Every structure is written in structure tokens, then in C-alpha cells.
Amino acid sequence: MIIQPKTRGFICTTAHPEGCAKQVTRQIDYAKGKPSIEGPKNVLVIGASTGYGLASRIVSSFAAGANTIGVYFDKAAEGSRTASAGWYNSAAFEEAAAAAGLKSYSIVGDAFSDEIKAKTIDLIRTELGKVDLVVYSVASPRRTHPKTGETFASVIKPLGATYTNKTVNFHSGEVTQATIEPATEDELRQTIAVMGGEDWQMWIDELRGAGVLAEGATTVSYSYIGPEITHAVYREGTIGAAKNDLEATARRLNDQLGANGGRAYVSVNKALVTQSSSAIPVVPLYISALYKVMKEQGIHEGCIEQMYRLFSERLYVSGETPVDEKGLIRIDDWEMRPDIQAEVAKRWADLTTENVFELSDLEGYRREFFQLFGFETDGVDYEADVDPEVSILNQR
Ligand code: NAD
């Protein structure tokens, strides 16, 4: 089958197996090319197939030499439908991990469910014994609560007041004003239930209860703060409230694990093109402006560079992990540098449809968006016939 991108807004409904594999290989090569990390040995990554979770898994395996279990929600190819990008990414990851002689397993299913937690615990027990790092990197629009059966939907909305700011259609380059009405109390509650810390806490409780969390284990989840211009819709909106809940969960987990020498952190990461961030209004235009400025300064990073720095300069350093006054790891430090933010803000004020390709790196954004699905990747012949059916080694 000849696979071309098919987009609907910020969603791409097709993915290319060879392009995804090349993107994964590029990240693996990056991790292998860096000094190795004296880090975790057995790692569970929940939300492991794309974005920050995938990069965390790659750094664990190819920079720290760890065995990994990846849990993710992705679909295999069926009929004329390709598999999802995370499926192809994970197939490529599993193959590379096996070739490197690392133990590596995939569990495909709903991480929010009791069933997937139980299955993961069994697998840890039989194959790894215990895990010493748990990365929680799930980003989802929905969650069904395992105990009550209620299905929650998350929304990205401001709280209290209507928010209006610039946004871009990253396919056409048209800059318009986005207006978002404030969330209701119920939308806020549901967003916290999806993207807050409850499920992370449940995972750690169950892993501990089952005796498969090593003494002194570390757990980390990811958050975002970002610039003033997105605060009303992100940090002070529904998602920000969910992130506050996630951060409170980290403090609680840190107290609970601390009794055995363990640690729990939230790492605040840089804004990057992922399937999740492309869905947030305003953010793609901000990311385009940010990319332009950070590339000009020679400090641009993608998921793999961010995660390598998180592991090597924050989580696995001799001595204390550096955190800010709220106890958060700040790997968004370069994004938030005052000179970078001042330059982005200056450009933001001037951005229009006419100058968006000069003032921002919208072209880079657009290309990275397609690369998430394995398109626009060098060395892939997109006119060639490819088999969309790819199996994942070691899937349990
Ligand atoms: P992503 O969409 O690339 O990855 C999400 C992962 O979650 C995928 O592996 C997906 O399969 C998995 N997933 C979704 N629903 C699932 C389910 N029900 N069961 C199992 N797995 C499921 O997202 P991302 O951008 O890498 O985000 C990961 C975390 O990083 C989030 O907490 C996000 O808020 C945070 N973060 C993202 C950015 C950014 O700019 N992208 C910046 C800072 C922090």
C-alpha cells in the first residue's frame, strides 16, 4: 500500500511504518552517541509510544542500558487503515532493543484500567523482578475510572473568563484570533480526573502493594508551565489545574516512597511538537516562534535531547537532584530564559499571516508534525509500496 498523510485539523489518521522507524532510529542514535548514564536498570514507562514517554524509554535503554516495559494505547493496522504512529514507533523500538540484547516488552492497552495494571505487574514479576524507575507520561483526551466506570473527557479551556489570542492553522499559515469560552465546573472536574495525578498514584500504589517496586525507586511524570501568553488557556486553565493535581501527587508520592529511600518528581519540560500539544489552541504558534528563537541561539532541543538532559543532569546525578523552590525539576530552563522569552514576546506582538514564515519557524513546526506520523522523513520513498501490517516483538 502507498501511504500518504491524511489530515483532519491537528489529527493525522495515517502513519508510515518506515518513516516512524527512521525517527526512532534517529533518537536511538542520539542516545547511543552520548556519554552513558549510570542510571536505572529496570524501567516501566506508562505512555511509552510517542513524545516524551518514547524518548524516556529510549534514553533508559540506549543511554543507561536498562531493560524496559512500555505500556501504551495504540492500534495495529486493519484493512485499509494503517497502524497508529505509536505502534510503528514501538515496533522499531522493540526490534532495536532486542538487537542490543536488552530485555524489553510492550503492553498495549488502557493504562487507566485495572486489567492492564495487573498484567504489567505480572510481567514485571516474571521477567524483571522489580522496577527501579517508573515514568508516567500518559496524555489522553479521555479516561474511564476503573472503580466507578465513569468516563471523563478533558478539555483545554480557561477558567473564569473568556480567552482570546492569536492562533495559527499550521497547514495554511493563516493567523487568526482564537476565542475560548471558560470551562464549567464539571469540565474542570473531568479534566483533573483525566490529566491529574489519580492514575499515577494508583499505579504506584499497586506496584508497591504487589512488591514489584524496588527499594529506593524513582518515579517521574511531566508537566508544563510556559509563557505568559498561554497562561490563561494552559497553566491557569483546566489543564493547569490538572497539572497542579499531578504536582501535589508527586509531593505525596515522594513522602510515601521517601520512607524507603525512593523519590517522586514532576519534571517541567519544554514545549514541543507532539500529538498532544498540537491540539492546544495558540500553542502551535507559540512553539513556532519559540523554535525560531531557540534555533537562532543554537539551544533548540527535541524530546530526545530533553530526556537525555533530564536523566543525565537531573535524575541521575551524584548528590541531590536539582529542583526549583516548588520541588519541580526544570528542564524547561532554556525555553524560559528571560532573553528567549523576551524575544518570543516581541515577535508574538508582530505575528500575522503575512510574516508568520519569517518571524516564526512554522515550516519547522509543520514538518515536525508530519514527522510524528513518519512522513517528511529523509531517506524514505513515499511512492513505494509498503506493508502497513507490522508486528511488535515481545508484545504481551
Ligand atoms: P504524546 O501524545 O506524544 O504521548 C502520549 C502517550 O500516552 C502515548 O504513548 C499514548 O499511547 C499514551 N496513552 C494515551 N492514552 C493512553 C491510555 N489510555 N493507556 C495507555 N497509554 C495511553 O504526549 P506528550 O506530549 O509526550 O505528553 C506526555 C506528557 O508530557 C504529558 O503529561 C504532557 O502534559 C507532558 N508535556 C508535554 C509537553 C509538550 O509540549 N508536548 C511539554 C511539557 C510536558
Side-chain angles (χ1 to χ4, degrees):
M1 160 176 174
I2 296 185
I3 305 174
Q4 300 286 347
K6 269 199 207 126
T7 55
R8 251 189 291 120
F10 52 80
I11 293 169
C12 182
T13 56
T14 53
H16 199 284
E18 285 177 18
C20 288
K22 277 220 154 43
Q23 295 295 337
V24 170
T25 304
R26 187 191 63 74
Q27 292 196 42
I28 290 175
D29 289 345
Y30 177 87
K32 279 186 181 166
K34 299 299 267 185
S36 62
I37 298 168
E38 192 57 49
K41 302 285 174 255
N42 291 303
V43 180
L44 170 63
V45 182
I46 307 156
S49 62
T50 54
Y52 278 120
L54 173 65
S56 307
R57 194 177 187 198
I58 290 173
V59 169
S60 297
S61 288
F62 292 96
N67 302 315
T68 62
I69 294 176
V71 177
Y72 48 89
F73 207 32
D74 279 278
K75 289 214 171 75
E78 208 188 318
S80 62
R81 215 188 52 208
T82 71
S84 54
W87 180 277
Y88 293 138
N89 290 341
S90 301
F93 174 89
E94 292 292 355
E95 232 169 77
L102 297 165
K103 281 192 171 185
S104 171
Y105 306 92
S106 280
I107 292 190
V108 184
D110 181 8
F112 299 131
S113 69
D114 284 344
E115 181 205 340
I116 290 296
K117 291 184 179 76
K119 202 169 166 182
T120 307
I121 286 168
D122 282 349
L123 183 62
I124 297 172
R125 198 178 277 127
T126 52
E127 299 296 343
L128 304 181
K130 292 180 191 242
V131 288
D132 55 0
L133 172 64
V134 179
V135 177
Y136 188 88
S137 186
V138 173
S140 173
R142 268 175 304 282
R143 168 175 175 230
T144 298
H145 196 283
K147 310 296 174 203
T148 66
E150 183 177 358
T151 296
F152 309 102
S154 74
V155 297
I156 298 157
K157 291 190 176 179
L159 295 174
T162 302
Y163 169 78
T164 299
N165 213 325
K166 289 177 187 178
T167 196
V168 72
N169 173 332
F170 59 84
H171 300 294
S172 67
E174 194 188 356
V175 177
T176 53
Q177 294 285 321
T179 295
I180 313 171
E181 296 303 324
T184 62
E185 275 300 314
D186 195 51
E187 286 174 322
L188 172 62
R189 177 187 72 88
Q190 294 201 36
T191 304
I192 294 172
V194 179
M195 290 298 287
E198 188 184 21
D199 187 56
W200 185 22
Q201 176 84 55
M202 285 179 167
W203 269 98
I204 298 300
D205 286 347
E206 303 220 1
L207 294 165
R208 283 179 81 201
V212 296
L213 199 60
E215 287 251 317
T218 298
T219 185
V220 64
S221 189
Y222 302 134
S223 184
Y224 182 63
I225 294 178
E228 199 65 42
I229 41 175
T230 63
H231 274 184
V233 70
Y234 192 94
R235 194 63 222 195
E236 286 155 19
T238 48
I239 284 282
K243 292 298 184 189
N244 290 340
D245 185 68
L246 189 82
E247 289 162 19
T249 304
R251 289 190 290 274
R252 207 166 49 239
L253 287 173
N254 196 50
D255 289 342
Q256 292 163 1
L257 300 180
N260 294 319
R263 326 174 284 166
Y265 294 108
V266 163
S267 170
V268 183
N269 300 344
K270 179 193 180 191
L272 283 179
V273 184
T274 65
Q275 295 181 32
S276 298
S277 66
S278 59
I280 308 176
V282 185
V283 166
L285 186 58
Y286 165 72
I287 292 181
S288 302
L290 178 74
Y291 272 28
K292 179 88 167 189
V293 174
M294 291 185 84
K295 283 178 181 175
E296 281 172 5
Q297 297 290 323
I299 54 169
H300 174 68
E301 295 175 300
C303 288
I304 193 70
E305 291 85 357
Q306 277 269 293
M307 292 299 95
Y308 181 80
R309 212 151 60 83
L310 170 65
F311 278 56
S312 63
E313 296 182 16
R314 300 290 194 277
L315 286 177
Y316 296 99
V317 287
S318 56
E320 294 279 297
T321 284
V323 290
D324 71 5
E325 65 289 349
K326 289 186 172 160
L328 301 168
I329 294 176
R330 302 300 299 267
I331 211 74
D332 65 340
D333 47 352
W334 297 352
E335 169 180 356
M336 299 311 286
R337 250 172 46 182
D339 60 323
I340 299 292
Q341 284 301 318
E343 183 57 31
V344 173
K346 199 167 98 202
R347 288 174 192 221
W348 185 264
D350 296 337
L351 271 170
T352 62
T353 306
E354 287 65 43
N355 62 25
V356 68
F357 287 99
E358 281 155 60
L359 293 188
S360 86
D361 185 24
L362 190 62
E363 184 45 37
Y365 186 98
R366 209 194 60 80
R367 193 171 51 250
E368 274 195 32
F369 174 80
F370 284 105
Q371 287 177 343
L372 295 175
F373 304 92
F375 299 108
E376 303 208 10
T377 300
D378 291 343
V380 178
D381 178 0
Y382 291 103
E383 302 306 321
D385 207 14
V386 279
D387 186 355
E389 284 187 26
V390 172
S391 57
I392 297 178
L393 279 180
N394 299 325
Q395 190 193 328
R396 296 300 155 95

